[in-house]
Amino acid sequence: MELNSKLKQIREGKSITLSKLAEKLEWPISKLSKIEGGSQDITFKELEELCVHLGESVHDIVGEKRITNVGDDLNMRELSKKFSEFIVNYGSVNRDNFGGNDVIKIITKVIPELITKDLDIDLQKFLVKGSGGNGQPAEVPWLSIFIRDITTTATKGLYLVFLVKADLSGMYLSLNQGFTYFKDKYGTKEGKVKIRKAAKEVRNLLNTIPSDSLFNIDLECVNSLGKGYEAGNIAAKYYSIDSILNDDMIYDIRDYITLYEELRGIIGDRTVEQFYDYLLLKEDGYELSEEEEVEAINKILTLKEDEEEYCVGFKGEKKEKKDSIIDNKGRKVYPRDPKIATNALKLAGYKCEVDENHCSFTRKSNGKNYTESHHLIPVNCQDDFDFSLDVEENVCSICSTCHNCIHYGEDEERMVLLEKLYKERKDHLDKVGLSVSFAELKKYYKIK
Ligand SMILES: [Zn+2]
Ligand SMILES: [Zn+2]
């Protein structure tokens, strides 16, 4: 059944009169009548509005016809046609005919306008921008959709991008990432590894990745810019030049904008840098809670690294504090290095520092007495100190019972343990710039 007849049938099936529906839509009756009669085309946006008032989903109405012939009715294939026209003709562009070339205009002007119109893009929020090169054709021409408050350039942040393969055999729509953060923080070589890790971590956070998404893309390119896009890909959809005219890209772009907006929500009030700092923290070897740290210590001890080399005594050196991290819930947290905590356990000879006779059990991973690490001055008090709290001098080795007592015991009992540990560590703490009085320490533990 043709789309127009189907719309009419649905309306009549629901006993909605033509005039009533036209009124709800704020359309002239003649327009609705012509659409139902098949003498006027309906745009995708109009179809969406209509579906809202009919209480139907666009997908249900369009059904499988979506792939075969509805594009003609809805004029939805225009975008595919333009991309196809661009890709097919891009090979003819060269340095001499680049200026004012109509083929270049397709990607810099025609398609951005088409996307903006067909998807009703809010240009206050989004920037749609395409490039076919700079004075000469690029290896990988692109067209991006940026959420302005995340980024407005492909070198930074996260964005949607159409990437044309260097051999002009097809193109991708990709949720991608700029390389600048990774290059600045890790250098070019390690940055390439980290950007792929970041892509994987981002994927784990997202719930709306379309099921047919590709996690690896191949642009058949040799230049670093294109290689960067390959590494930065989070999720992508591929369009072969042979079948591009059969694809209704509008649906895909819509799905990917939904995905992009989900990501925007996860980033929240953080900057892109803060988002990545949090995302890659574990990757960089840090943990954010005592529980995670306990797990990490166990793993490190399993590695059975050379004890002599590993175990160095208190260095007695002030350590620069690390910047705080904003987690996915917007909370400010400080990173912990589990290697430091592990080292502290070794320094204590795996004994309970409250009383070395405290009974524990044997840890499976290293065959030594089991104790846990505890930061004497709590890590979340870092703001009050000029130097890092994550140093061996501030980490005690204590048995599970003492550890639980310090966190959950009655104040009187907690205070006994705390005082014992404080007396042992006070001088060491002074040396590393972490001077604290017992009264202040009690306050940190909320002991009156
Ligand atoms: Zn603890
Ligand atoms: Zn103990």
Side-chain angles (χ1 to χ4, degrees), residues 293-321:
E293 193 177 65
V294 166
E295 284 281 319
I297 289 170
N298 205 45
K299 270 189 204 137
I300 293 172
L301 287 172
T302 312
L303 298 175
K304 292 190 169 57
E305 295 191 20
D306 182 18
E307 299 251 332
E308 292 305 308
E309 197 184 339
Y310 208 105
C311 186
V312 280
F314 289 154
K315 293 183 207 80
E317 287 165 10
K318 293 171 181 153
K319 186 171 130 189
E320 202 182 320
K321 63 179 178 182

PDB file of all heavy atoms in Angstrom, residues 293-321:
ATOM      1  N   GLU A 293      40.784  -0.015  45.453  1.00  0.00           N
ATOM      2  CA  GLU A 293      42.205  -0.101  45.749  1.00  0.00           C
ATOM      3  C   GLU A 293      42.553  -1.478  46.322  1.00  0.00           C
ATOM      4  O   GLU A 293      43.563  -2.077  45.958  1.00  0.00           O
ATOM      5  CB  GLU A 293      42.568   0.994  46.754  1.00  0.00           C
ATOM      6  CG  GLU A 293      44.052   1.205  46.909  1.00  0.00           C
ATOM      7  CD  GLU A 293      44.327   2.360  47.855  1.00  0.00           C
ATOM      8  OE1 GLU A 293      44.001   2.250  49.052  1.00  0.00           O
ATOM      9  OE2 GLU A 293      44.842   3.370  47.384  1.00  0.00           O
ATOM     10  N   VAL A 294      41.680  -1.991  47.199  1.00  0.00           N
ATOM     11  CA  VAL A 294      41.901  -3.309  47.798  1.00  0.00           C
ATOM     12  C   VAL A 294      42.012  -4.370  46.703  1.00  0.00           C
ATOM     13  O   VAL A 294      42.900  -5.223  46.717  1.00  0.00           O
ATOM     14  CB  VAL A 294      40.749  -3.645  48.787  1.00  0.00           C
ATOM     15  CG1 VAL A 294      40.759  -5.122  49.157  1.00  0.00           C
ATOM     16  CG2 VAL A 294      40.866  -2.786  50.036  1.00  0.00           C
ATOM     17  N   GLU A 295      41.124  -4.289  45.719  1.00  0.00           N
ATOM     18  CA  GLU A 295      41.142  -5.211  44.577  1.00  0.00           C
ATOM     19  C   GLU A 295      42.453  -5.100  43.809  1.00  0.00           C
ATOM     20  O   GLU A 295      43.083  -6.092  43.462  1.00  0.00           O
ATOM     21  CB  GLU A 295      40.000  -4.848  43.607  1.00  0.00           C
ATOM     22  CG  GLU A 295      38.631  -5.266  44.061  1.00  0.00           C
ATOM     23  CD  GLU A 295      38.386  -6.738  43.807  1.00  0.00           C
ATOM     24  OE1 GLU A 295      38.797  -7.206  42.737  1.00  0.00           O
ATOM     25  OE2 GLU A 295      37.820  -7.399  44.695  1.00  0.00           O
ATOM     26  N   ALA A 296      42.812  -3.846  43.539  1.00  0.00           N
ATOM     27  CA  ALA A 296      44.006  -3.593  42.727  1.00  0.00           C
ATOM     28  C   ALA A 296      45.265  -4.098  43.426  1.00  0.00           C
ATOM     29  O   ALA A 296      46.156  -4.654  42.788  1.00  0.00           O
ATOM     30  CB  ALA A 296      44.116  -2.104  42.417  1.00  0.00           C
ATOM     31  N   ILE A 297      45.324  -3.906  44.749  1.00  0.00           N
ATOM     32  CA  ILE A 297      46.491  -4.369  45.511  1.00  0.00           C
ATOM     33  C   ILE A 297      46.640  -5.874  45.360  1.00  0.00           C
ATOM     34  O   ILE A 297      47.731  -6.396  45.128  1.00  0.00           O
ATOM     35  CB  ILE A 297      46.338  -4.001  47.013  1.00  0.00           C
ATOM     36  CG1 ILE A 297      46.488  -2.496  47.197  1.00  0.00           C
ATOM     37  CG2 ILE A 297      47.363  -4.749  47.866  1.00  0.00           C
ATOM     38  CD1 ILE A 297      46.118  -1.999  48.582  1.00  0.00           C
ATOM     39  N   ASN A 298      45.514  -6.561  45.460  1.00  0.00           N
ATOM     40  CA  ASN A 298      45.558  -8.021  45.344  1.00  0.00           C
ATOM     41  C   ASN A 298      46.126  -8.448  43.992  1.00  0.00           C
ATOM     42  O   ASN A 298      46.914  -9.374  43.897  1.00  0.00           O
ATOM     43  CB  ASN A 298      44.158  -8.595  45.556  1.00  0.00           C
ATOM     44  CG  ASN A 298      44.214 -10.028  46.044  1.00  0.00           C
ATOM     45  OD1 ASN A 298      44.997 -10.348  46.939  1.00  0.00           O
ATOM     46  ND2 ASN A 298      43.431 -10.887  45.446  1.00  0.00           N
ATOM     47  N   LYS A 299      45.718  -7.727  42.950  1.00  0.00           N
ATOM     48  CA  LYS A 299      46.232  -8.039  41.607  1.00  0.00           C
ATOM     49  C   LYS A 299      47.731  -7.784  41.528  1.00  0.00           C
ATOM     50  O   LYS A 299      48.478  -8.586  40.977  1.00  0.00           O
ATOM     51  CB  LYS A 299      45.516  -7.180  40.556  1.00  0.00           C
ATOM     52  CG  LYS A 299      44.266  -7.848  40.020  1.00  0.00           C
ATOM     53  CD  LYS A 299      43.704  -7.086  38.822  1.00  0.00           C
ATOM     54  CE  LYS A 299      42.222  -7.373  38.678  1.00  0.00           C
ATOM     55  NZ  LYS A 299      41.438  -6.176  38.371  1.00  0.00           N
ATOM     56  N   ILE A 300      48.149  -6.647  42.079  1.00  0.00           N
ATOM     57  CA  ILE A 300      49.573  -6.309  42.021  1.00  0.00           C
ATOM     58  C   ILE A 300      50.392  -7.368  42.749  1.00  0.00           C
ATOM     59  O   ILE A 300      51.423  -7.815  42.267  1.00  0.00           O
ATOM     60  CB  ILE A 300      49.832  -4.912  42.643  1.00  0.00           C
ATOM     61  CG1 ILE A 300      49.196  -3.826  41.766  1.00  0.00           C
ATOM     62  CG2 ILE A 300      51.329  -4.653  42.801  1.00  0.00           C
ATOM     63  CD1 ILE A 300      49.231  -2.432  42.373  1.00  0.00           C
ATOM     64  N   LEU A 301      49.883  -7.821  43.910  1.00  0.00           N
ATOM     65  CA  LEU A 301      50.622  -8.818  44.692  1.00  0.00           C
ATOM     66  C   LEU A 301      50.700 -10.156  43.961  1.00  0.00           C
ATOM     67  O   LEU A 301      51.649 -10.908  44.120  1.00  0.00           O
ATOM     68  CB  LEU A 301      49.975  -8.996  46.072  1.00  0.00           C
ATOM     69  CG  LEU A 301      50.211  -7.821  47.029  1.00  0.00           C
ATOM     70  CD1 LEU A 301      49.386  -7.981  48.290  1.00  0.00           C
ATOM     71  CD2 LEU A 301      51.690  -7.681  47.376  1.00  0.00           C
ATOM     72  N   THR A 302      49.705 -10.434  43.122  1.00  0.00           N
ATOM     73  CA  THR A 302      49.710 -11.670  42.341  1.00  0.00           C
ATOM     74  C   THR A 302      50.852 -11.671  41.337  1.00  0.00           C
ATOM     75  O   THR A 302      51.382 -12.707  40.976  1.00  0.00           O
ATOM     76  CB  THR A 302      48.371 -11.823  41.575  1.00  0.00           C
ATOM     77  OG1 THR A 302      47.316 -11.574  42.484  1.00  0.00           O
ATOM     78  CG2 THR A 302      48.224 -13.207  40.988  1.00  0.00           C
ATOM     79  N   LEU A 303      51.202 -10.467  40.880  1.00  0.00           N
ATOM     80  CA  LEU A 303      52.250 -10.364  39.863  1.00  0.00           C
ATOM     81  C   LEU A 303      53.613 -10.794  40.397  1.00  0.00           C
ATOM     82  O   LEU A 303      54.519 -11.075  39.627  1.00  0.00           O
ATOM     83  CB  LEU A 303      52.333  -8.924  39.327  1.00  0.00           C
ATOM     84  CG  LEU A 303      51.076  -8.409  38.625  1.00  0.00           C
ATOM     85  CD1 LEU A 303      51.246  -6.941  38.247  1.00  0.00           C
ATOM     86  CD2 LEU A 303      50.764  -9.238  37.383  1.00  0.00           C
ATOM     87  N   LYS A 304      53.732 -10.849  41.742  1.00  0.00           N
ATOM     88  CA  LYS A 304      54.984 -11.280  42.384  1.00  0.00           C
ATOM     89  C   LYS A 304      56.208 -10.588  41.778  1.00  0.00           C
ATOM     90  O   LYS A 304      57.151 -11.231  41.327  1.00  0.00           O
ATOM     91  CB  LYS A 304      55.154 -12.799  42.259  1.00  0.00           C
ATOM     92  CG  LYS A 304      54.144 -13.594  43.071  1.00  0.00           C
ATOM     93  CD  LYS A 304      54.536 -15.066  43.087  1.00  0.00           C
ATOM     94  CE  LYS A 304      53.755 -15.905  44.071  1.00  0.00           C
ATOM     95  NZ  LYS A 304      52.310 -15.908  43.931  1.00  0.00           N
ATOM     96  N   GLU A 305      56.151  -9.275  41.730  1.00  0.00           N
ATOM     97  CA  GLU A 305      57.300  -8.547  41.188  1.00  0.00           C
ATOM     98  C   GLU A 305      58.482  -8.679  42.149  1.00  0.00           C
ATOM     99  O   GLU A 305      58.308  -9.022  43.310  1.00  0.00           O
ATOM    100  CB  GLU A 305      56.925  -7.071  41.004  1.00  0.00           C
ATOM    101  CG  GLU A 305      55.850  -6.924  39.954  1.00  0.00           C
ATOM    102  CD  GLU A 305      55.629  -5.478  39.554  1.00  0.00           C
ATOM    103  OE1 GLU A 305      56.530  -4.661  39.781  1.00  0.00           O
ATOM    104  OE2 GLU A 305      54.548  -5.194  39.018  1.00  0.00           O
ATOM    105  N   ASP A 306      59.629  -8.416  41.638  1.00  0.00           N
ATOM    106  CA  ASP A 306      60.834  -8.549  42.451  1.00  0.00           C
ATOM    107  C   ASP A 306      60.739  -7.648  43.686  1.00  0.00           C
ATOM    108  O   ASP A 306      60.757  -6.433  43.598  1.00  0.00           O
ATOM    109  CB  ASP A 306      62.057  -8.162  41.608  1.00  0.00           C
ATOM    110  CG  ASP A 306      63.340  -8.331  42.406  1.00  0.00           C
ATOM    111  OD1 ASP A 306      63.293  -9.036  43.427  1.00  0.00           O
ATOM    112  OD2 ASP A 306      64.353  -7.747  42.006  1.00  0.00           O
ATOM    113  N   GLU A 307      60.634  -8.293  44.849  1.00  0.00           N
ATOM    114  CA  GLU A 307      60.399  -7.566  46.096  1.00  0.00           C
ATOM    115  C   GLU A 307      61.474  -6.514  46.378  1.00  0.00           C
ATOM    116  O   GLU A 307      61.173  -5.392  46.732  1.00  0.00           O
ATOM    117  CB  GLU A 307      60.342  -8.545  47.270  1.00  0.00           C
ATOM    118  CG  GLU A 307      59.232  -9.566  47.168  1.00  0.00           C
ATOM    119  CD  GLU A 307      58.128  -9.315  48.184  1.00  0.00           C
ATOM    120  OE1 GLU A 307      58.438  -8.752  49.245  1.00  0.00           O
ATOM    121  OE2 GLU A 307      56.979  -9.665  47.899  1.00  0.00           O
ATOM    122  N   GLU A 308      62.706  -6.913  46.208  1.00  0.00           N
ATOM    123  CA  GLU A 308      63.814  -6.025  46.553  1.00  0.00           C
ATOM    124  C   GLU A 308      63.731  -4.720  45.770  1.00  0.00           C
ATOM    125  O   GLU A 308      63.844  -3.632  46.312  1.00  0.00           O
ATOM    126  CB  GLU A 308      65.160  -6.704  46.257  1.00  0.00           C
ATOM    127  CG  GLU A 308      65.459  -7.888  47.156  1.00  0.00           C
ATOM    128  CD  GLU A 308      65.378  -7.509  48.634  1.00  0.00           C
ATOM    129  OE1 GLU A 308      66.024  -6.529  49.029  1.00  0.00           O
ATOM    130  OE2 GLU A 308      64.639  -8.194  49.379  1.00  0.00           O
ATOM    131  N   GLU A 309      63.483  -4.876  44.486  1.00  0.00           N
ATOM    132  CA  GLU A 309      63.463  -3.712  43.614  1.00  0.00           C
ATOM    133  C   GLU A 309      62.239  -2.851  43.912  1.00  0.00           C
ATOM    134  O   GLU A 309      62.276  -1.638  43.870  1.00  0.00           O
ATOM    135  CB  GLU A 309      63.416  -4.187  42.160  1.00  0.00           C
ATOM    136  CG  GLU A 309      63.795  -3.109  41.171  1.00  0.00           C
ATOM    137  CD  GLU A 309      63.634  -3.597  39.748  1.00  0.00           C
ATOM    138  OE1 GLU A 309      63.623  -4.826  39.529  1.00  0.00           O
ATOM    139  OE2 GLU A 309      63.501  -2.738  38.880  1.00  0.00           O
ATOM    140  N   TYR A 310      61.163  -3.535  44.208  1.00  0.00           N
ATOM    141  CA  TYR A 310      59.889  -2.869  44.393  1.00  0.00           C
ATOM    142  C   TYR A 310      59.826  -2.087  45.699  1.00  0.00           C
ATOM    143  O   TYR A 310      59.378  -0.963  45.770  1.00  0.00           O
ATOM    144  CB  TYR A 310      58.787  -3.933  44.401  1.00  0.00           C
ATOM    145  CG  TYR A 310      57.470  -3.413  43.916  1.00  0.00           C
ATOM    146  CD1 TYR A 310      57.004  -3.742  42.654  1.00  0.00           C
ATOM    147  CD2 TYR A 310      56.708  -2.579  44.724  1.00  0.00           C
ATOM    148  CE1 TYR A 310      55.803  -3.259  42.207  1.00  0.00           C
ATOM    149  CE2 TYR A 310      55.506  -2.098  44.281  1.00  0.00           C
ATOM    150  CZ  TYR A 310      55.052  -2.445  43.015  1.00  0.00           C
ATOM    151  OH  TYR A 310      53.866  -1.967  42.580  1.00  0.00           O
ATOM    152  N   CYS A 311      60.305  -2.769  46.753  1.00  0.00           N
ATOM    153  CA  CYS A 311      60.084  -2.254  48.095  1.00  0.00           C
ATOM    154  C   CYS A 311      61.132  -1.228  48.497  1.00  0.00           C
ATOM    155  O   CYS A 311      62.251  -1.573  48.827  1.00  0.00           O
ATOM    156  CB  CYS A 311      60.089  -3.438  49.060  1.00  0.00           C
ATOM    157  SG  CYS A 311      59.657  -2.980  50.727  1.00  0.00           S
ATOM    158  N   VAL A 312      60.754   0.037  48.430  1.00  0.00           N
ATOM    159  CA  VAL A 312      61.661   1.077  48.915  1.00  0.00           C
ATOM    160  C   VAL A 312      61.060   1.667  50.184  1.00  0.00           C
ATOM    161  O   VAL A 312      59.846   1.731  50.311  1.00  0.00           O
ATOM    162  CB  VAL A 312      61.862   2.196  47.865  1.00  0.00           C
ATOM    163  CG1 VAL A 312      62.853   1.765  46.820  1.00  0.00           C
ATOM    164  CG2 VAL A 312      60.548   2.581  47.224  1.00  0.00           C
ATOM    165  N   GLY A 313      61.921   2.070  51.111  1.00  0.00           N
ATOM    166  CA  GLY A 313      61.432   2.601  52.382  1.00  0.00           C
ATOM    167  C   GLY A 313      60.758   3.950  52.210  1.00  0.00           C
ATOM    168  O   GLY A 313      60.605   4.442  51.094  1.00  0.00           O
ATOM    169  N   PHE A 314      60.336   4.548  53.340  1.00  0.00           N
ATOM    170  CA  PHE A 314      59.765   5.897  53.271  1.00  0.00           C
ATOM    171  C   PHE A 314      60.778   6.817  52.617  1.00  0.00           C
ATOM    172  O   PHE A 314      61.938   6.852  53.010  1.00  0.00           O
ATOM    173  CB  PHE A 314      59.457   6.411  54.683  1.00  0.00           C
ATOM    174  CG  PHE A 314      58.288   5.728  55.330  1.00  0.00           C
ATOM    175  CD1 PHE A 314      58.195   5.651  56.714  1.00  0.00           C
ATOM    176  CD2 PHE A 314      57.266   5.174  54.561  1.00  0.00           C
ATOM    177  CE1 PHE A 314      57.107   5.035  57.323  1.00  0.00           C
ATOM    178  CE2 PHE A 314      56.180   4.557  55.161  1.00  0.00           C
ATOM    179  CZ  PHE A 314      56.104   4.484  56.543  1.00  0.00           C
ATOM    180  N   LYS A 315      60.346   7.549  51.614  1.00  0.00           N
ATOM    181  CA  LYS A 315      61.282   8.426  50.911  1.00  0.00           C
ATOM    182  C   LYS A 315      61.481   9.731  51.669  1.00  0.00           C
ATOM    183  O   LYS A 315      62.480  10.415  51.498  1.00  0.00           O
ATOM    184  CB  LYS A 315      60.769   8.724  49.500  1.00  0.00           C
ATOM    185  CG  LYS A 315      60.745   7.505  48.597  1.00  0.00           C
ATOM    186  CD  LYS A 315      60.284   7.917  47.196  1.00  0.00           C
ATOM    187  CE  LYS A 315      59.616   6.767  46.462  1.00  0.00           C
ATOM    188  NZ  LYS A 315      58.209   6.556  46.876  1.00  0.00           N
ATOM    189  N   GLY A 316      60.498  10.092  52.479  1.00  0.00           N
ATOM    190  CA  GLY A 316      60.604  11.341  53.229  1.00  0.00           C
ATOM    191  C   GLY A 316      60.573  12.561  52.327  1.00  0.00           C
ATOM    192  O   GLY A 316      61.085  13.622  52.665  1.00  0.00           O
ATOM    193  N   GLU A 317      59.984  12.391  51.131  1.00  0.00           N
ATOM    194  CA  GLU A 317      59.925  13.519  50.192  1.00  0.00           C
ATOM    195  C   GLU A 317      58.487  13.978  49.990  1.00  0.00           C
ATOM    196  O   GLU A 317      57.582  13.161  49.833  1.00  0.00           O
ATOM    197  CB  GLU A 317      60.478  13.086  48.824  1.00  0.00           C
ATOM    198  CG  GLU A 317      61.975  12.912  48.802  1.00  0.00           C
ATOM    199  CD  GLU A 317      62.429  12.147  47.565  1.00  0.00           C
ATOM    200  OE1 GLU A 317      61.596  11.923  46.659  1.00  0.00           O
ATOM    201  OE2 GLU A 317      63.614  11.771  47.534  1.00  0.00           O
ATOM    202  N   LYS A 318      58.341  15.308  49.981  1.00  0.00           N
ATOM    203  CA  LYS A 318      57.013  15.858  49.690  1.00  0.00           C
ATOM    204  C   LYS A 318      56.659  15.510  48.251  1.00  0.00           C
ATOM    205  O   LYS A 318      57.503  15.621  47.365  1.00  0.00           O
ATOM    206  CB  LYS A 318      57.029  17.380  49.852  1.00  0.00           C
ATOM    207  CG  LYS A 318      57.235  17.807  51.297  1.00  0.00           C
ATOM    208  CD  LYS A 318      57.460  19.304  51.389  1.00  0.00           C
ATOM    209  CE  LYS A 318      57.679  19.698  52.842  1.00  0.00           C
ATOM    210  NZ  LYS A 318      58.487  20.904  52.990  1.00  0.00           N
ATOM    211  N   LYS A 319      55.437  15.080  48.057  1.00  0.00           N
ATOM    212  CA  LYS A 319      55.027  14.714  46.697  1.00  0.00           C
ATOM    213  C   LYS A 319      53.933  15.662  46.209  1.00  0.00           C
ATOM    214  O   LYS A 319      52.989  15.973  46.942  1.00  0.00           O
ATOM    215  CB  LYS A 319      54.499  13.276  46.703  1.00  0.00           C
ATOM    216  CG  LYS A 319      54.178  12.737  45.330  1.00  0.00           C
ATOM    217  CD  LYS A 319      53.883  11.237  45.411  1.00  0.00           C
ATOM    218  CE  LYS A 319      52.590  10.895  44.720  1.00  0.00           C
ATOM    219  NZ  LYS A 319      52.181   9.508  44.960  1.00  0.00           N
ATOM    220  N   GLU A 320      54.092  16.102  44.984  1.00  0.00           N
ATOM    221  CA  GLU A 320      53.106  17.011  44.400  1.00  0.00           C
ATOM    222  C   GLU A 320      51.743  16.319  44.361  1.00  0.00           C
ATOM    223  O   GLU A 320      51.657  15.142  44.014  1.00  0.00           O
ATOM    224  CB  GLU A 320      53.544  17.353  42.975  1.00  0.00           C
ATOM    225  CG  GLU A 320      52.938  18.637  42.452  1.00  0.00           C
ATOM    226  CD  GLU A 320      53.368  18.911  41.012  1.00  0.00           C
ATOM    227  OE1 GLU A 320      54.555  18.666  40.692  1.00  0.00           O
ATOM    228  OE2 GLU A 320      52.516  19.347  40.241  1.00  0.00           O
ATOM    229  N   LYS A 321      50.702  17.063  44.742  1.00  0.00           N
ATOM    230  CA  LYS A 321      49.397  16.394  44.737  1.00  0.00           C
ATOM    231  C   LYS A 321      48.796  16.372  43.339  1.00  0.00           C
ATOM    232  O   LYS A 321      49.056  17.247  42.522  1.00  0.00           O
ATOM    233  CB  LYS A 321      48.439  17.041  45.740  1.00  0.00           C
ATOM    234  CG  LYS A 321      48.072  18.487  45.495  1.00  0.00           C
ATOM    235  CD  LYS A 321      47.084  18.925  46.590  1.00  0.00           C
ATOM    236  CE  LYS A 321      46.701  20.386  46.443  1.00  0.00           C
ATOM    237  NZ  LYS A 321      45.792  20.824  47.517  1.00  0.00           N
TER     238      LYS A 321
END
